Amino acid sequence: QVQLIESGGGLVQAGDSLRLSCAGSGPTFSVWITTYSMAWFRQAPGKEREFVATIAGTGVITNYADSVKGRFTISKDNAKKTMYLQMEHLKPEDTAVYYCATGPTSTSTIESRYKYWGQGIQVTVSS
């Protein structure tokens, strides 16, 4: 069993930066984080949840949605069992509930391939 908890959200102004964290736990998570991909998704009000970024278990491969490419950076610290999303130059359209997830062995943008999810954390960007 894997548990994921997001932190670091909040209210910021357009142009600001914010770093989200996703801490994993469970009896096998120390091995899990080096084996399975992790990702960030987000859901804006009135919209479907969408892919943001993903990172492979090795940490070598990353992939980003076009809307965040060049502004967001996904990373992880295996020793701390934590994944991060560094968000720069935030825009009002980045306002959403952000979810971390894990599950597939290879990176994927497809929500259904992720087995475990955090509860989500709100990020609000004011103009």
Side-chain angles (χ1 to χ4, degrees), residues 38-61:
M38 298 187 72
W40 291 96
F41 288 79
R42 68 185 181 185
Q43 187 169 21
K47 295 186 177 181
E48 294 186 351
R49 189 154 58 185
E50 64 176 5
F51 165 78
V52 175
T54 183
I55 186 167
T58 60
V60 174
I61 298 172

PDB file of all heavy atoms in Angstrom, residues 38-61:
ATOM      1  N   MET A  38       6.138   8.628 -11.174  1.00  0.00           N
ATOM      2  CA  MET A  38       5.270   9.502 -10.386  1.00  0.00           C
ATOM      3  C   MET A  38       4.887  10.693 -11.262  1.00  0.00           C
ATOM      4  O   MET A  38       5.582  11.010 -12.236  1.00  0.00           O
ATOM      5  CB  MET A  38       5.966   9.969  -9.119  1.00  0.00           C
ATOM      6  CG  MET A  38       6.343   8.839  -8.172  1.00  0.00           C
ATOM      7  SD  MET A  38       6.970   9.411  -6.587  1.00  0.00           S
ATOM      8  CE  MET A  38       5.467  10.040  -5.821  1.00  0.00           C
ATOM      9  N   ALA A  39       3.797  11.337 -10.898  1.00  0.00           N
ATOM     10  CA  ALA A  39       3.311  12.421 -11.743  1.00  0.00           C
ATOM     11  C   ALA A  39       2.520  13.438 -10.944  1.00  0.00           C
ATOM     12  O   ALA A  39       2.082  13.169  -9.822  1.00  0.00           O
ATOM     13  CB  ALA A  39       2.431  11.861 -12.857  1.00  0.00           C
ATOM     14  N   TRP A  40       2.347  14.585 -11.555  1.00  0.00           N
ATOM     15  CA  TRP A  40       1.445  15.617 -11.062  1.00  0.00           C
ATOM     16  C   TRP A  40       0.323  15.811 -12.080  1.00  0.00           C
ATOM     17  O   TRP A  40       0.589  15.879 -13.288  1.00  0.00           O
ATOM     18  CB  TRP A  40       2.182  16.934 -10.866  1.00  0.00           C
ATOM     19  CG  TRP A  40       3.162  16.933  -9.745  1.00  0.00           C
ATOM     20  CD1 TRP A  40       4.491  16.703  -9.823  1.00  0.00           C
ATOM     21  CD2 TRP A  40       2.874  17.180  -8.364  1.00  0.00           C
ATOM     22  NE1 TRP A  40       5.061  16.782  -8.582  1.00  0.00           N
ATOM     23  CE2 TRP A  40       4.086  17.080  -7.655  1.00  0.00           C
ATOM     24  CE3 TRP A  40       1.710  17.477  -7.650  1.00  0.00           C
ATOM     25  CZ2 TRP A  40       4.178  17.268  -6.272  1.00  0.00           C
ATOM     26  CZ3 TRP A  40       1.796  17.670  -6.281  1.00  0.00           C
ATOM     27  CH2 TRP A  40       3.009  17.552  -5.603  1.00  0.00           C
ATOM     28  N   PHE A  41      -0.876  15.894 -11.576  1.00  0.00           N
ATOM     29  CA  PHE A  41      -2.046  16.252 -12.350  1.00  0.00           C
ATOM     30  C   PHE A  41      -2.689  17.453 -11.666  1.00  0.00           C
ATOM     31  O   PHE A  41      -2.381  17.763 -10.524  1.00  0.00           O
ATOM     32  CB  PHE A  41      -3.055  15.093 -12.399  1.00  0.00           C
ATOM     33  CG  PHE A  41      -2.619  13.944 -13.265  1.00  0.00           C
ATOM     34  CD1 PHE A  41      -1.690  13.018 -12.801  1.00  0.00           C
ATOM     35  CD2 PHE A  41      -3.143  13.766 -14.539  1.00  0.00           C
ATOM     36  CE1 PHE A  41      -1.283  11.954 -13.594  1.00  0.00           C
ATOM     37  CE2 PHE A  41      -2.750  12.702 -15.340  1.00  0.00           C
ATOM     38  CZ  PHE A  41      -1.817  11.799 -14.863  1.00  0.00           C
ATOM     39  N   ARG A  42      -3.580  18.117 -12.362  1.00  0.00           N
ATOM     40  CA  ARG A  42      -4.307  19.226 -11.750  1.00  0.00           C
ATOM     41  C   ARG A  42      -5.720  19.299 -12.293  1.00  0.00           C
ATOM     42  O   ARG A  42      -6.001  18.848 -13.401  1.00  0.00           O
ATOM     43  CB  ARG A  42      -3.586  20.550 -11.979  1.00  0.00           C
ATOM     44  CG  ARG A  42      -3.569  21.021 -13.437  1.00  0.00           C
ATOM     45  CD  ARG A  42      -2.715  22.274 -13.565  1.00  0.00           C
ATOM     46  NE  ARG A  42      -2.705  22.768 -14.929  1.00  0.00           N
ATOM     47  CZ  ARG A  42      -1.963  23.799 -15.349  1.00  0.00           C
ATOM     48  NH1 ARG A  42      -1.160  24.432 -14.498  1.00  0.00           N
ATOM     49  NH2 ARG A  42      -2.024  24.194 -16.602  1.00  0.00           N
ATOM     50  N   GLN A  43      -6.594  19.882 -11.484  1.00  0.00           N
ATOM     51  CA  GLN A  43      -7.984  20.045 -11.880  1.00  0.00           C
ATOM     52  C   GLN A  43      -8.437  21.445 -11.535  1.00  0.00           C
ATOM     53  O   GLN A  43      -8.507  21.811 -10.350  1.00  0.00           O
ATOM     54  CB  GLN A  43      -8.881  19.008 -11.210  1.00  0.00           C
ATOM     55  CG  GLN A  43     -10.306  19.047 -11.718  1.00  0.00           C
ATOM     56  CD  GLN A  43     -11.109  17.856 -11.261  1.00  0.00           C
ATOM     57  OE1 GLN A  43     -10.780  17.195 -10.274  1.00  0.00           O
ATOM     58  NE2 GLN A  43     -12.164  17.537 -11.985  1.00  0.00           N
ATOM     59  N   ALA A  44      -8.733  22.209 -12.557  1.00  0.00           N
ATOM     60  CA  ALA A  44      -9.231  23.562 -12.375  1.00  0.00           C
ATOM     61  C   ALA A  44     -10.747  23.517 -12.189  1.00  0.00           C
ATOM     62  O   ALA A  44     -11.396  22.556 -12.619  1.00  0.00           O
ATOM     63  CB  ALA A  44      -8.867  24.409 -13.578  1.00  0.00           C
ATOM     64  N   PRO A  45     -11.320  24.547 -11.589  1.00  0.00           N
ATOM     65  CA  PRO A  45     -12.776  24.567 -11.377  1.00  0.00           C
ATOM     66  C   PRO A  45     -13.536  24.394 -12.684  1.00  0.00           C
ATOM     67  O   PRO A  45     -13.259  25.084 -13.668  1.00  0.00           O
ATOM     68  CB  PRO A  45     -13.018  25.954 -10.779  1.00  0.00           C
ATOM     69  CG  PRO A  45     -11.720  26.315 -10.153  1.00  0.00           C
ATOM     70  CD  PRO A  45     -10.665  25.727 -11.005  1.00  0.00           C
ATOM     71  N   GLY A  46     -14.463  23.447 -12.688  1.00  0.00           N
ATOM     72  CA  GLY A  46     -15.296  23.238 -13.862  1.00  0.00           C
ATOM     73  C   GLY A  46     -14.620  22.502 -14.998  1.00  0.00           C
ATOM     74  O   GLY A  46     -15.204  22.360 -16.079  1.00  0.00           O
ATOM     75  N   LYS A  47     -13.402  22.046 -14.771  1.00  0.00           N
ATOM     76  CA  LYS A  47     -12.677  21.350 -15.834  1.00  0.00           C
ATOM     77  C   LYS A  47     -12.284  19.939 -15.397  1.00  0.00           C
ATOM     78  O   LYS A  47     -12.287  19.619 -14.207  1.00  0.00           O
ATOM     79  CB  LYS A  47     -11.428  22.135 -16.226  1.00  0.00           C
ATOM     80  CG  LYS A  47     -11.719  23.489 -16.840  1.00  0.00           C
ATOM     81  CD  LYS A  47     -10.452  24.145 -17.336  1.00  0.00           C
ATOM     82  CE  LYS A  47     -10.733  25.466 -18.020  1.00  0.00           C
ATOM     83  NZ  LYS A  47      -9.489  26.113 -18.536  1.00  0.00           N
ATOM     84  N   GLU A  48     -11.936  19.109 -16.355  1.00  0.00           N
ATOM     85  CA  GLU A  48     -11.473  17.775 -16.053  1.00  0.00           C
ATOM     86  C   GLU A  48     -10.038  17.828 -15.558  1.00  0.00           C
ATOM     87  O   GLU A  48      -9.285  18.763 -15.843  1.00  0.00           O
ATOM     88  CB  GLU A  48     -11.566  16.888 -17.291  1.00  0.00           C
ATOM     89  CG  GLU A  48     -12.980  16.621 -17.755  1.00  0.00           C
ATOM     90  CD  GLU A  48     -13.042  15.619 -18.901  1.00  0.00           C
ATOM     91  OE1 GLU A  48     -11.983  15.265 -19.427  1.00  0.00           O
ATOM     92  OE2 GLU A  48     -14.149  15.192 -19.250  1.00  0.00           O
ATOM     93  N   ARG A  49      -9.667  16.794 -14.815  1.00  0.00           N
ATOM     94  CA  ARG A  49      -8.291  16.704 -14.335  1.00  0.00           C
ATOM     95  C   ARG A  49      -7.367  16.499 -15.536  1.00  0.00           C
ATOM     96  O   ARG A  49      -7.683  15.739 -16.454  1.00  0.00           O
ATOM     97  CB  ARG A  49      -8.167  15.563 -13.326  1.00  0.00           C
ATOM     98  CG  ARG A  49      -6.847  15.524 -12.609  1.00  0.00           C
ATOM     99  CD  ARG A  49      -6.949  14.849 -11.256  1.00  0.00           C
ATOM    100  NE  ARG A  49      -7.447  13.495 -11.317  1.00  0.00           N
ATOM    101  CZ  ARG A  49      -7.714  12.747 -10.245  1.00  0.00           C
ATOM    102  NH1 ARG A  49      -7.491  13.244  -9.031  1.00  0.00           N
ATOM    103  NH2 ARG A  49      -8.176  11.519 -10.388  1.00  0.00           N
ATOM    104  N   GLU A  50      -6.216  17.171 -15.505  1.00  0.00           N
ATOM    105  CA  GLU A  50      -5.295  17.097 -16.624  1.00  0.00           C
ATOM    106  C   GLU A  50      -3.874  16.810 -16.160  1.00  0.00           C
ATOM    107  O   GLU A  50      -3.487  17.125 -15.037  1.00  0.00           O
ATOM    108  CB  GLU A  50      -5.298  18.416 -17.417  1.00  0.00           C
ATOM    109  CG  GLU A  50      -4.797  19.615 -16.640  1.00  0.00           C
ATOM    110  CD  GLU A  50      -4.721  20.881 -17.488  1.00  0.00           C
ATOM    111  OE1 GLU A  50      -5.136  20.863 -18.653  1.00  0.00           O
ATOM    112  OE2 GLU A  50      -4.220  21.890 -16.958  1.00  0.00           O
ATOM    113  N   PHE A  51      -3.109  16.205 -17.038  1.00  0.00           N
ATOM    114  CA  PHE A  51      -1.723  15.888 -16.786  1.00  0.00           C
ATOM    115  C   PHE A  51      -0.885  17.158 -16.720  1.00  0.00           C
ATOM    116  O   PHE A  51      -1.097  18.094 -17.502  1.00  0.00           O
ATOM    117  CB  PHE A  51      -1.208  14.974 -17.905  1.00  0.00           C
ATOM    118  CG  PHE A  51       0.276  14.845 -17.960  1.00  0.00           C
ATOM    119  CD1 PHE A  51       0.955  14.023 -17.069  1.00  0.00           C
ATOM    120  CD2 PHE A  51       1.011  15.536 -18.904  1.00  0.00           C
ATOM    121  CE1 PHE A  51       2.324  13.902 -17.108  1.00  0.00           C
ATOM    122  CE2 PHE A  51       2.378  15.423 -18.966  1.00  0.00           C
ATOM    123  CZ  PHE A  51       3.045  14.604 -18.075  1.00  0.00           C
ATOM    124  N   VAL A  52       0.096  17.170 -15.807  1.00  0.00           N
ATOM    125  CA  VAL A  52       1.010  18.303 -15.678  1.00  0.00           C
ATOM    126  C   VAL A  52       2.440  17.873 -15.979  1.00  0.00           C
ATOM    127  O   VAL A  52       3.099  18.427 -16.834  1.00  0.00           O
ATOM    128  CB  VAL A  52       0.931  18.923 -14.273  1.00  0.00           C
ATOM    129  CG1 VAL A  52       1.984  20.028 -14.119  1.00  0.00           C
ATOM    130  CG2 VAL A  52      -0.461  19.466 -14.000  1.00  0.00           C
ATOM    131  N   ALA A  53       2.924  16.864 -15.242  1.00  0.00           N
ATOM    132  CA  ALA A  53       4.318  16.438 -15.393  1.00  0.00           C
ATOM    133  C   ALA A  53       4.488  15.049 -14.821  1.00  0.00           C
ATOM    134  O   ALA A  53       3.742  14.640 -13.934  1.00  0.00           O
ATOM    135  CB  ALA A  53       5.265  17.412 -14.696  1.00  0.00           C
ATOM    136  N   THR A  54       5.480  14.335 -15.321  1.00  0.00           N
ATOM    137  CA  THR A  54       5.771  13.011 -14.813  1.00  0.00           C
ATOM    138  C   THR A  54       7.273  12.776 -14.785  1.00  0.00           C
ATOM    139  O   THR A  54       8.017  13.386 -15.553  1.00  0.00           O
ATOM    140  CB  THR A  54       5.077  11.923 -15.660  1.00  0.00           C
ATOM    141  OG1 THR A  54       5.334  10.639 -15.076  1.00  0.00           O
ATOM    142  CG2 THR A  54       5.579  11.923 -17.097  1.00  0.00           C
ATOM    143  N   ILE A  55       7.694  11.880 -13.900  1.00  0.00           N
ATOM    144  CA  ILE A  55       9.103  11.541 -13.774  1.00  0.00           C
ATOM    145  C   ILE A  55       9.215  10.035 -13.600  1.00  0.00           C
ATOM    146  O   ILE A  55       8.440   9.410 -12.870  1.00  0.00           O
ATOM    147  CB  ILE A  55       9.743  12.303 -12.593  1.00  0.00           C
ATOM    148  CG1 ILE A  55      11.246  12.059 -12.536  1.00  0.00           C
ATOM    149  CG2 ILE A  55       9.070  11.955 -11.265  1.00  0.00           C
ATOM    150  CD1 ILE A  55      11.977  13.027 -11.608  1.00  0.00           C
ATOM    151  N   ALA A  56      10.185   9.448 -14.283  1.00  0.00           N
ATOM    152  CA  ALA A  56      10.383   8.002 -14.217  1.00  0.00           C
ATOM    153  C   ALA A  56      10.980   7.596 -12.872  1.00  0.00           C
ATOM    154  O   ALA A  56      11.551   8.416 -12.161  1.00  0.00           O
ATOM    155  CB  ALA A  56      11.292   7.559 -15.348  1.00  0.00           C
ATOM    156  N   GLY A  57      10.876   6.309 -12.573  1.00  0.00           N
ATOM    157  CA  GLY A  57      11.465   5.800 -11.343  1.00  0.00           C
ATOM    158  C   GLY A  57      12.950   6.067 -11.266  1.00  0.00           C
ATOM    159  O   GLY A  57      13.496   6.362 -10.193  1.00  0.00           O
ATOM    160  N   THR A  58      13.618   6.002 -12.414  1.00  0.00           N
ATOM    161  CA  THR A  58      15.054   6.284 -12.450  1.00  0.00           C
ATOM    162  C   THR A  58      15.354   7.757 -12.240  1.00  0.00           C
ATOM    163  O   THR A  58      16.481   8.119 -11.914  1.00  0.00           O
ATOM    164  CB  THR A  58      15.631   5.870 -13.808  1.00  0.00           C
ATOM    165  OG1 THR A  58      14.968   6.629 -14.828  1.00  0.00           O
ATOM    166  CG2 THR A  58      15.440   4.386 -14.062  1.00  0.00           C
ATOM    167  N   GLY A  59      14.356   8.594 -12.478  1.00  0.00           N
ATOM    168  CA  GLY A  59      14.558  10.035 -12.382  1.00  0.00           C
ATOM    169  C   GLY A  59      15.157  10.644 -13.629  1.00  0.00           C
ATOM    170  O   GLY A  59      15.288  11.866 -13.712  1.00  0.00           O
ATOM    171  N   VAL A  60      15.499   9.823 -14.588  1.00  0.00           N
ATOM    172  CA  VAL A  60      16.172  10.314 -15.795  1.00  0.00           C
ATOM    173  C   VAL A  60      15.182  10.903 -16.789  1.00  0.00           C
ATOM    174  O   VAL A  60      15.456  11.924 -17.430  1.00  0.00           O
ATOM    175  CB  VAL A  60      16.962   9.167 -16.456  1.00  0.00           C
ATOM    176  CG1 VAL A  60      17.534   9.616 -17.789  1.00  0.00           C
ATOM    177  CG2 VAL A  60      18.068   8.693 -15.519  1.00  0.00           C
ATOM    178  N   ILE A  61      14.027  10.268 -16.927  1.00  0.00           N
ATOM    179  CA  ILE A  61      13.044  10.703 -17.925  1.00  0.00           C
ATOM    180  C   ILE A  61      11.969  11.549 -17.259  1.00  0.00           C
ATOM    181  O   ILE A  61      11.412  11.176 -16.223  1.00  0.00           O
ATOM    182  CB  ILE A  61      12.387   9.484 -18.590  1.00  0.00           C
ATOM    183  CG1 ILE A  61      13.451   8.655 -19.323  1.00  0.00           C
ATOM    184  CG2 ILE A  61      11.300   9.922 -19.562  1.00  0.00           C
ATOM    185  CD1 ILE A  61      12.937   7.345 -19.848  1.00  0.00           C
TER     186      ILE A  61
END
